Amino acid sequence: MPIEKWSDSVAVAHLGDDPQFSEDLENAARLEPPGLNCVLDFSAVHFVNSSNIAALLRLRRQIHSQNRKLVLCNIVSPVWTTFLITGLDKIFDLSDNVTTALATLQLNA
């Protein structure tokens, strides 16, 4: 997964489908330097399972405990349905695309 550093305070992680998804989230959790806010780009993710959801929740907890921000974007329809059913749409900050997610982080900085 490519992680792009967009600024001194923001990185964008382009996630892949499973089995790469879990590894991509682990890499996002180890962003350097510490303190980077993160955008997770779901454009290549077409399915999430329970272990993916657990990994997302762990990442969210870790990022929030470090006073960082996390925004998810480009969520495709099958994944969006899972987010709605599980209530994840209510606990994550979501954006339509990477550009909007970056703007959201800049406005909330």
Side-chain angles (χ1 to χ4, degrees):
M1 154 198 72
I3 295 180
E4 300 176 62
K5 189 172 175 191
W6 278 83
S7 71
D8 290 338
S9 63
V10 178
V12 178
H14 301 279
L15 304 175
D17 248 339
D18 237 0
Q20 188 66 37
F21 186 88
S22 297
E23 184 178 321
D24 291 347
L25 288 181
E26 288 175 18
N27 290 337
R30 294 189 299 264
L31 286 173
E32 292 294 330
L36 284 177
N37 295 315
C38 187
V39 173
L40 297 180
D41 178 7
F42 275 72
S43 58
V45 178
H46 298 95
F47 176 81
V48 291
N49 58 36
S50 59
S51 63
N52 299 145
I53 292 170
L56 268 173
L57 291 170
R58 279 192 302 275
L59 177 63
R60 180 185 178 276
R61 186 177 343 114
Q62 176 187 351
I63 285 178
H64 283 268
S65 73
Q66 298 169 349
N67 293 320
R68 298 167 34 204
K69 298 202 181 333
L70 176 68
V71 179
L72 284 52
C73 67
N74 289 326
I75 301 173
V76 297
S77 203
V79 176
W80 180 246
T81 301
T82 303
F83 271 57
L84 290 173
I85 290 170
T86 59
L88 294 175
D89 62 310
K90 297 189 181 8
I91 64 169
F92 283 100
D93 291 326
L94 306 167
S95 288
D96 291 334
N97 53 52
V98 172
T99 305
T100 307
L102 292 168
T104 300
L105 286 174
Q106 293 296 82
L107 290 173
N108 294 330

